């Protein structure tokens, strides 16, 4: 009997030793495999993943430590080894796959704040849903299923409840410490060779590895208070700005509209750009006759967009608020993350001047949280896709011509002057879908068949956008109601993976954005803008201008009073016309990667003003008697479009009920 008990105890100890051995083995091997697998997925190339591993063994180890912490946390929660391996693999590989697609499409990796883009993530599905892309997705899911099935057939290799609690809490503490850059965690990362490259996130992820770069970005989700920001500093800035706004007009006595308030229409055309700028290709006809004519006849130029291939709302944010994305974390989305209170904007400015401020966008109102943000910006109304009645579609989206019709209808049916901020959708990517029955403009050049089809589809879209602009011009020229139109694109189009069309034509020399020259970086972010008015305005050609300076610039061109902060924008734009996170253009059009010393104080004041408005305590408004800095929400916000409910489903239900009752319904 004793011998039997002894054998059982011995067997039990052996089992415990085996379990401990396998758990330790998994803790050593699984993170290493996950790091290599994640880097292989994100880079899309086995050779590049191997080269990074061999050249950066310490960074590889640092990524493995972080993956180990994630694995231990999931292990503590799951309570069994194989399910924890399966869940950790699914999490990290999915993150790497998303980063791979984002880098391919728009040159940006996966950021911590992307997790909060819930419905907006649907927007990327058409871009990745093809057979070649479904293979890695299927492989990852298949491996997950295999591990889950094996977990039912193999020993659980679980941890005791007390051990799980200790391991889980330690893992949470360590992950938190690395995420917020605690002193001890910072020392560990420094010794392992981590070098954060905030201004170039594709290079940041490429050099440091996805897990480490992602973790270093966690702290960037919280925008740090600028050095010296407090009430006394803002009081001092307020003193400098007082009296400055009223003189920031094109001329001290300029009144081109003879006391009449003009309609002001901003149209941000989806992915609008000039493809005739591509070298080594020819077009059978000019796709942009209206824009090219306006570039010769009226104020026009190029806007330096903070985005490429996507992120439309960030361009809206810059134009409407006068703020710069350069002071916010790379890849962040203010509409989703920061704008949760009443914010000074062009919409509120015009509303306060007696205008009706309206936003028109031919897509769902929830997208990028517009239906809430526009309210906080002071718009009176927002007409989204849900409020278009039987619109014409071109491809998958409402046509640009339909948006032009809507703008005309709104202006003609409104007795007071209007500020309209219109956003189109027709020419949204991808462009490999052959969305039109035919592409009348033929393109010649040394391009692959796929690249030519992509470019021809895109070109048909911008030709339609150009025609919609001409339609607006013709209408307001005929009505003679004083009107100003500002027409521009939000960003360059994503023409294939890895900037395919741009590299094939020689517009840029490499698909690696981290290796672009400053000139290439500038041209990959420069979109054309043109203006038109049925009243003579000063004419000027602008080689480059930041989106954040456009509002102030146009108010000056129209001879309108500039609020204090926009007056400062206008003044700064004459010293530094444009700025991205990693590109600054000075008044002499010199390009630098960082703000020159001569402009540092001016840019820092710009940062302080933005922080005070967006994150701070609005000290500036306290020391300035400015209605612009003390905005309010329109009391009747969107009342005209919410009579039947806020969603398309509610509209349809109410319409059906009204028709049944014999009522005449109009939207």
């Amino acid at each position: 009997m004793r011998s039997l008990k002894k054998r059982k105890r011995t067997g039990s100890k052996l089992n415990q030793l085996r379990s401990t051995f396998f758990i330790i083995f998994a803790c050593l091997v699984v993170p290493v495999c996950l790091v290599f697998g994640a880097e292989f997925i994100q880079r899309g190339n086995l050779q590049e993943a191997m080269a990074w591993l061999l050249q950066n063994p310490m960074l590889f180890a640092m990524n493995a430590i972080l993956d180990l912490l994630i694995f231990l946390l999931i292990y503590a929660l799951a309570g069994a080894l194989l399910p924890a391996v399966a869940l950790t693999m699914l999490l990290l590989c999915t993150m790497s796959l998303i980063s791979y697609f984002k880098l391919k499409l728009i040159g940006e990796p996966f950021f911590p704040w992307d997790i909060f883009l819930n419905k907006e993530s649907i927007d990327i599905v058409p871009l990745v849903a093809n057979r070649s892309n479904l293979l890695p997705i299927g492989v990852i899911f298949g491996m997950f299923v295999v591990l889950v099935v094996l977990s039912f057939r193999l020993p659980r290799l679980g941890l005791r409840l007390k051990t799980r609690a200790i391991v889980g809490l330690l893992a949470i503490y360590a992950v938190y410490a690395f995420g917020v850059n605690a002193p001890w965690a910072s020392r560990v990362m420094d010794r392992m060779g981590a070098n954060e490259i905030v201004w170039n996130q594709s290079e940041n992820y490429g050099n440091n590895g996805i897990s480490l770069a992602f973790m270093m970005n966690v702290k960037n989700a919280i925008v740090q208070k600028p050095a010296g920001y407090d009430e006394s500093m803002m009081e001092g800035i307020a003193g400098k700005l007082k009296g400055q706004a009223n003189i920031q007009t094109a001329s001290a006595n300029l009144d081109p509209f003879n006391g009449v308030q003009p309609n002001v229409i901003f149209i941000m055309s989806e992915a609008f750009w000039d493809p005739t700028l591509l070298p080594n290709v020819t077009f059978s006809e000019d796709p942009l006759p209206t824009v090219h004519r306006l570039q010769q006849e009226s104020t026009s130029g190029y806007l330096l967009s903070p985005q490429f291939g996507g992120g439309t709302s960030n361009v809206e944010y810059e134009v409407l608020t006068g703020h710069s994305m350069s002071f916010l974390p790379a890849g962040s989305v203010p509409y989703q993350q920061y704008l949760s209170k009443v914010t000074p904007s062009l919409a509120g400015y015009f509303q306060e001047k007696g205008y009706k401020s309206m936003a028109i966008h031919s897509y769902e109102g929830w997208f990028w949280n517009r239906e809430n943000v526009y309210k906080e910006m002071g718009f009176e109304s927002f007409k989204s896709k849900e409020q278009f009645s039987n619109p014409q579609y071109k491809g998958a989206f409402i046509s640009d011509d339909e948006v032009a019709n809507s703008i005309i209808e709104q202006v003609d049916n409104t007795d007071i002057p209007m500020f309209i901020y219109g956003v189109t959708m027709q020419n949204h990517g991808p462009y490999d879908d052959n969305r039109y029955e035919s592409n009348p403009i033929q393109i010649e050049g040394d391009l692959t068949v796929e690249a030519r089809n992509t470019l021809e589809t895109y070109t048909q879209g911008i030709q339609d956008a150009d025609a919609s602009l001409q339609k607006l011009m013709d209408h307001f020229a005929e009505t003679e109601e004083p009107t100003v139109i500002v027409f521009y694109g939000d960003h360059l189009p994503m023409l294939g993976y890895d900037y395919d069309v741009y590299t094939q034509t020689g517009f840029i020399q490499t698909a690696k954005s981290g290796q672009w020259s400053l000139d290439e970086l500038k041209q990959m972010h420069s979109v054309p803008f043109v203006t038109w008015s049925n009243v003579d305005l000063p004419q000027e050609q602008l080689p480059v201008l930041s989106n954040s300076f456009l509002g102030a610039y146009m108010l000056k061109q129209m001879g309108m009073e500039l609020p204090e902060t926009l007056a400062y924008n206008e003044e700064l734009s004459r010293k530094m016309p444009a700025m991205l996170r990693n590109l600054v253009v000075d008044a002499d059009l010199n390009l630098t990667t960082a703000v020159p010393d001569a402009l540092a104080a001016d840019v820092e004041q710009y940062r302080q003003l933005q922080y005070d408005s967006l994150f701070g305590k609005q000290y500036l408004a306290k020391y300035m008697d400015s209605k612009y800095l003390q905005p309010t929400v329109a009391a009747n916000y969107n009342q005209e479009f919410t009579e039947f409910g806020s969603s398309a489903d509610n509209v349809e239900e109410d319409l059906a009920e009204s028709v049944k009752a014999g009522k005449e319904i109009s939207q």
Side-chain angles (χ1 to χ4, degrees):
M1 182 66 70
R2 289 182 180 178
S3 177
L4 180 60
K5 288 182 179 180
K6 186 176 181 181
R7 284 198 299 270
K8 285 184 177 181
R9 284 197 299 269
T10 303
S12 177
K13 288 181 179 179
L14 285 173
N15 288 334
Q16 288 178 2
L17 286 172
R18 287 195 198 98
S19 297
T20 303
F21 171 79
F22 281 118
I23 291 171
I24 294 173
F25 180 77
C27 289
L28 293 174
V29 174
V30 169
V32 171
C33 294
L34 287 174
V35 172
F36 185 77
E39 293 303 321
F40 170 50
I41 292 170
Q42 181 188 230
R43 298 167 195 272
N45 187 294
L46 183 62
Q47 286 73 28
E48 287 190 18
M50 283 296 300
W52 175 78
L53 185 158
L54 295 173
Q55 294 168 13
N56 304 280
M58 297 298 287
L59 288 174
F60 184 90
M62 186 68 242
N63 279 266
I65 291 171
L66 295 173
D67 287 359
L68 171 62
L69 293 173
I70 299 300
F71 169 63
L72 290 175
L73 177 58
I74 293 175
Y75 189 14
L77 293 172
L81 185 65
L82 278 180
V85 173
L87 290 170
T88 309
M89 183 212 69
L90 183 65
L91 174 66
L92 295 176
C93 289
T94 300
M95 185 175 77
S96 298
L97 199 60
I98 294 171
S99 194
Y100 167 80
F101 285 129
K102 281 194 68 184
L103 285 165
K104 284 277 188 181
L105 294 168
I106 60 175
E108 290 184 346
F110 180 61
F111 296 111
W113 37 90
D114 288 340
I115 296 169
F116 301 105
L117 303 183
N118 38 53
K119 293 180 179 178
E120 287 75 12
S121 61
I122 299 170
D123 196 38
I124 202 173
V125 172
L127 304 176
V128 301
N130 60 56
R131 185 174 300 175
S132 61
N133 291 333
L134 291 177
L135 179 60
I137 297 173
V139 170
I140 292 171
F141 184 73
M143 292 175 63
F144 172 75
V145 171
V146 169
L147 287 171
V148 170
V149 171
L150 287 175
S151 69
F152 288 102
R153 296 178 175 273
L154 297 176
R156 282 185 83 250
L157 296 178
L159 298 174
R160 294 175 181 175
L161 187 59
K162 183 178 179 180
T163 304
R164 288 171 59 184
I166 294 172
V167 169
L169 290 173
L170 288 175
I172 290 172
Y173 168 72
V175 169
Y176 174 80
F178 281 111
V180 301
N181 204 26
W184 73 264
S186 179
R187 288 193 295 270
V188 170
M189 289 189 289
D190 288 343
R191 289 172 183 173
M192 300 297 272
N195 180 28
E196 186 175 12
I197 309 171
V198 178
W199 58 91
N200 190 332
Q201 288 292 342
S202 62
E203 187 176 347
N204 189 33
Y205 277 62
N207 288 0
N208 291 300
I210 183 171
S211 295
L212 177 55
F214 184 91
M215 191 66 71
M216 287 192 293
N217 268 308
V218 169
K219 67 181 184 302
N220 295 329
I222 302 173
V223 178
Q224 299 297 318
K225 182 171 68 174
Y229 172 78
D230 57 19
E231 185 170 356
S232 61
M233 170 176 279
M234 296 311 299
E235 182 182 7
I237 292 176
K240 296 177 185 177
L241 296 182
K242 283 179 180 177
Q244 192 177 44
N246 292 336
I247 63 172
Q248 296 297 327
T249 55
S251 168
N253 301 309
L254 176 66
D255 184 10
F257 302 100
N258 297 318
V260 178
Q261 292 179 306
N263 299 305
V264 179
I265 302 170
F266 277 56
I267 303 170
M268 188 168 70
S269 182
E270 171 61 37
F272 186 85
W273 182 65
D274 187 352
T276 65
L277 295 174
L278 292 170
N280 305 315
V281 292
T282 58
F283 298 77
S284 59
E285 62 179 274
D286 185 357
L288 300 173
T290 303
V291 167
H292 287 158
R293 186 174 73 252
L294 289 176
Q295 286 177 332
Q296 302 300 317
E297 299 175 353
S298 66
T299 290
S300 61
Y302 287 88
L303 299 174
L304 194 65
S305 171
Q307 302 297 133
F308 172 85
T312 298
S313 70
N314 288 352
V315 181
E316 289 182 38
Y317 166 75
E318 286 205 339
V319 173
L320 287 169
T321 65
H323 294 171
S324 174
M325 288 296 300
S326 301
F327 302 136
L328 299 176
S332 59
V333 182
Y335 275 21
Q336 290 281 92
Q337 298 169 250
Y338 310 129
L339 286 178
S340 58
K341 60 186 177 184
V342 184
T343 301
S345 78
L346 290 179
Y349 168 85
F350 281 102
Q351 191 78 11
E352 187 269 326
K353 294 291 184 184
Y355 281 67
K356 177 181 179 180
S357 288
M358 172 180 279
I360 298 176
H361 185 27
S362 52
Y363 201 55
E364 279 83 356
W366 54 259
F367 204 76
W368 293 129
N369 196 31
R370 284 187 176 95
E371 58 191 2
N372 295 316
V373 168
Y374 285 158
K375 179 180 179 180
E376 303 296 350
M377 283 185 168
F379 280 100
E380 180 180 328
S381 299
F382 172 31
K383 181 177 182 180
S384 60
K385 175 184 175 180
E386 294 87 344
Q387 284 83 41
F388 279 77
S389 178
N390 298 316
Q392 174 197 39
Y393 278 72
K394 281 286 190 77
F397 305 105
I398 293 175
S399 70
D400 286 4
D401 185 68
E402 196 71 49
V403 176
N405 290 338
S406 184
I407 292 172
I408 291 170
E409 177 189 12
Q410 293 298 327
V411 174
D412 287 354
N413 293 336
T414 304
D415 295 330
I416 60 176
M418 294 196 73
F419 169 68
I420 292 181
Y421 194 86
V423 184
T424 69
M425 275 295 287
Q426 178 186 327
N427 213 22
H428 195 285
Y431 309 103
D432 58 355
D433 55 357
N434 297 312
R435 67 183 68 175
Y436 307 114
E437 292 184 3
S438 62
N439 295 322
I441 298 180
Q442 304 300 307
I443 297 173
E444 298 295 333
D446 188 16
L447 297 169
T448 64
V449 173
E450 293 79 7
R452 181 178 287 105
N453 288 340
T454 293
L455 185 55
E456 287 183 354
T457 298
Y458 171 75
T459 300
Q460 179 58 48
I462 57 112
Q463 184 183 46
D464 288 347
D466 185 88
S468 72
L469 173 59
Q470 184 64 56
K471 185 174 193 173
L472 289 169
M473 292 163 51
D474 291 343
H475 175 81
F476 291 110
E478 182 179 345
T479 64
E480 298 183 350
E481 184 175 353
T483 301
V484 176
I485 297 174
V486 184
F487 184 91
Y488 58 96
D490 50 356
H491 51 69
L492 271 71
M494 191 279 296
L495 299 175
Y497 287 138
D498 291 329
Y499 311 100
D500 189 32
V501 170
Y502 300 104
T503 54
Q504 286 194 37
T505 59
F507 189 73
I508 54 175
Q509 298 305 309
T510 175
K512 296 183 179 297
S513 58
Q515 297 178 12
W516 290 345
S517 67
L518 291 180
D519 284 319
E520 287 178 319
L521 180 62
K522 176 175 172 286
Q523 66 187 17
M524 289 296 282
H525 285 267
S526 296
V527 295
F529 87 95
V530 293
T531 64
W532 175 87
S533 177
N534 50 12
V535 174
D536 288 336
L537 292 178
Q539 181 179 346
E540 188 176 6
Q541 302 301 312
L542 291 139
V544 62
L545 185 72
S546 275
N547 289 101
S548 55
F549 297 147
L550 178 62
Y553 177 82
M554 287 309 305
L555 291 181
K556 177 185 173 183
Q557 288 293 102
M558 293 184 291
M560 303 183 77
E561 179 183 352
L562 274 74
E564 293 82 359
T565 51
L566 294 186
Y568 183 77
N569 283 14
E570 196 282 326
E571 179 187 1
L572 180 58
S573 71
R574 285 184 270 117
K575 302 176 183 178
M576 183 193 70
M579 174 177 65
L580 298 177
R581 186 170 288 100
N582 52 350
L583 175 66
V584 176
V585 186
D586 68 14
D588 297 321
L589 302 183
N590 297 313
L591 307 182
T592 55
T593 57
V595 177
D597 291 341
L599 297 171
D602 297 289
V603 174
E604 181 56 29
Q605 181 166 308
Y606 185 27
R607 181 196 298 268
Q608 296 277 355
L609 289 169
Q610 178 170 321
Y611 182 87
D612 182 64
S613 173
L614 195 58
F615 304 106
K617 297 185 177 181
Q618 292 82 52
Y619 291 129
L620 190 70
K622 178 179 177 180
Y623 292 99
M624 303 196 77
D625 183 19
S626 170
K627 292 183 179 179
Y628 178 77
L629 296 175
Q630 297 168 345
T632 58
V633 171
N636 58 340
Y637 174 69
N638 231 24
Q639 183 175 327
E640 64 185 293
F641 293 126
T642 56
E643 183 178 355
F644 299 109
S646 60
S647 70
D649 290 339
N650 289 337
V651 171
E652 292 174 2
E653 290 173 6
D654 289 340
L655 285 173
E657 290 175 5
S658 299
V659 169
K660 186 176 180 180
K663 298 178 182 178
E664 181 179 351
I665 302 299
S666 63
Q667 292 193 58

